[in-house]
Amino acid sequence: VKLVISVDRGERVRIASIEFEGNQQVSDRKLRKQMKDTRRKGRLFGKSKFEEGLYEADKDKLIAYYNKEGFRNAILLSDTVWRDDKGHLRIRIDLFEGDRFYFRNIAIKGNSLYSDEHIRNVLGIQRGDVYNLELLQKRLSFSNDGRDVSSLYMDEGHLFFRAEPVETGVENDSVDL
């Protein structure tokens, strides 16, 4: 028995452009940079082919980037993928940024080993800093540089220590923890 398989790969789907609507605080360039697996053509040595799964993951990265920059209400309103009359793939993403938020008051509860001031120093987050939940989580537990609150307690033998940030108030552009 002889089996012959013929595969027609077709043309690659290359991305001609990625456009953003609704972004006023963050530039298109910075947003495109967050989309590491969905790139437009014209880059030297870079791929620009469209892959649905990677594109979906890149949309999540956009919102994560906005959250990291203090825009905790940022959402992706819609996205459109289409081919123009020349067959090039085009992407348009509509965003709502919302307002940038800042840390205001940070209260420490349940602490018995260290002073509140010492824990605030280890956190390294001051009143007026841009609200970044990712940074807060990193400073609470398992920071690469060893500068985190959980290390303080675990070094003292408290193996089941856990710090949970709780938003106690959100007013205008400020968040209390």
Side-chain angles (χ1 to χ4, degrees):
V1 176
K2 190 185 259 187
L3 179 64
V4 176
I5 299 174
S6 178
V7 176
D8 180 16
R9 291 179 52 176
E11 286 187 44
R12 278 189 175 172
V13 179
R14 300 222 181 251
I15 301 167
S17 70
I18 302 173
E19 302 166 4
F20 297 96
E21 295 289 325
N23 59 317
Q24 287 140 14
Q25 302 292 323
V26 180
S27 69
D28 289 0
R29 183 175 181 225
K30 284 185 180 179
L31 293 175
R32 275 191 215 100
K33 193 174 182 180
Q34 301 310 308
M35 300 181 73
K36 297 196 185 310
D37 295 316
T38 307
R39 303 264 185 174
R40 58 188 176 169
K41 72 179 182 177
R43 296 174 349 128
L44 192 61
F45 303 120
K47 67 176 188 169
S48 69
K49 66 181 183 177
F50 181 77
E51 294 182 34
E52 183 85 27
L54 296 176
Y55 172 62
E56 293 299 322
D58 277 347
K59 290 192 302 186
D60 293 338
K61 289 177 190 173
L62 282 176
I63 299 303
Y65 176 73
Y66 266 110
N67 291 336
K68 199 166 122 176
E69 293 295 312
F71 297 96
R72 64 189 288 270
N73 295 335
I75 55 172
L76 195 143
L77 297 172
S78 66
D79 66 305
T80 307
V81 179
W82 78 97
R83 285 186 187 231
D84 62 12
D85 53 350
K86 295 180 182 176
H88 298 124
L89 193 73
R90 300 198 178 274
I91 299 173
R92 178 174 324 176
I93 298 175
D94 293 324
L95 298 161
F96 172 74
E97 291 178 334
D99 294 327
R100 180 173 271 157
F101 284 79
Y102 301 92
F103 287 106
R104 188 167 56 186
N105 299 321
I106 300 176
I108 312 293
K109 304 278 184 191
N111 171 41
S112 60
L113 231 99
Y114 298 99
S115 69
D116 291 355
E117 191 61 37
H118 183 66
I119 291 176
R120 281 192 191 95
N121 285 338
V122 172
L123 271 177
I125 297 173
Q126 304 296 321
R127 180 185 182 112
D129 287 352
V130 172
Y131 182 79
N132 182 345
L133 193 57
E134 182 181 318
L135 175 66
L136 177 64
Q137 291 291 349
K138 189 185 294 183
R139 295 282 174 85
L140 285 174
S141 56
F142 308 113
S143 177
N144 289 338
D145 60 0
R147 183 181 173 182
D148 58 84
V149 176
S150 66
S151 293
L152 288 175
Y153 282 87
M154 289 185 174
D155 289 348
E156 291 293 325
H158 298 275
L159 299 179
F160 298 104
F161 168 80
R162 188 174 75 194
E164 290 186 35
V166 177
E167 292 181 2
T168 57
V170 178
E171 189 178 312
N172 296 331
D173 65 349
S174 300
V175 179
D176 293 336
L177 296 174

